[in-house]
Amino acid sequence: MSRPVAAAVEVPNAGESPLLREWRRLVRWPAGRWLFSRLVGRRARYSGTVRPFVRALAPGRATVEFRDRPAVRNHLRSIHACALATAGELASGLALLAAVPAEGRAILVGVEIDYLKKARGPITAEGHAPERIAATQGEVTAHAVLRDAEGSDVARLRARWLVGPRPR
């Protein structure tokens, strides 16, 4: 009598980014985006100072919004350059981290930002990175474009991330 052969069982989303897995779990709930945004702000504490709201997240793409309020303004009555850089770095980082598999990790190693005009009102930061990133990738560049409520670009950011395997 022969033994039955065990069928290979595929684990859904095996190796998927933990960040993306958390997003997909929470976004199904009515306040899921709000809760995810709060968690991101707590885990990346400085990024949380702009009170980001994560509108969308997918491998290589992220949309983050934040409000214009006194805490992020400068003496020129516009949004401070550092608040714009923080939101752009967060959007680029989320886009990149959503594409990094569970076996990998990333750390920011450089940022360049161009400020195009005074930023006022609500700001939307759209982050872009490669959709697939290997855990052993090396240096990866991600980008973010920050726009005001009228859709005008107020800043453009380029972030360099070092991606490598997570230590065991």
Side-chain angles (χ1 to χ4, degrees), residues 16-60:
E16 179 180 61
S17 159
L19 179 78
L20 192 56
R21 194 171 26 250
E22 185 77 1
W23 167 261
R24 289 184 175 151
R25 187 176 71 80
L26 292 174
V27 78
R28 297 179 298 191
W29 298 94
R33 282 181 170 85
W34 176 84
L35 180 58
F36 181 85
S37 299
R38 293 290 299 209
L39 290 171
V40 165
R42 285 197 144 176
R43 289 180 186 154
R45 291 186 180 211
Y46 189 79
S47 296
T49 63
V50 298
R51 295 186 188 160
F53 182 79
V54 182
R55 177 73 57 198
L57 183 64

Side-chain angles (χ1 to χ4, degrees), residues 124-142:
T124 300
E126 293 180 7
H128 302 279
E131 286 183 29
R132 293 183 184 184
I133 300 172
T136 58
Q137 187 88 25
E139 194 168 291
V140 178
T141 301

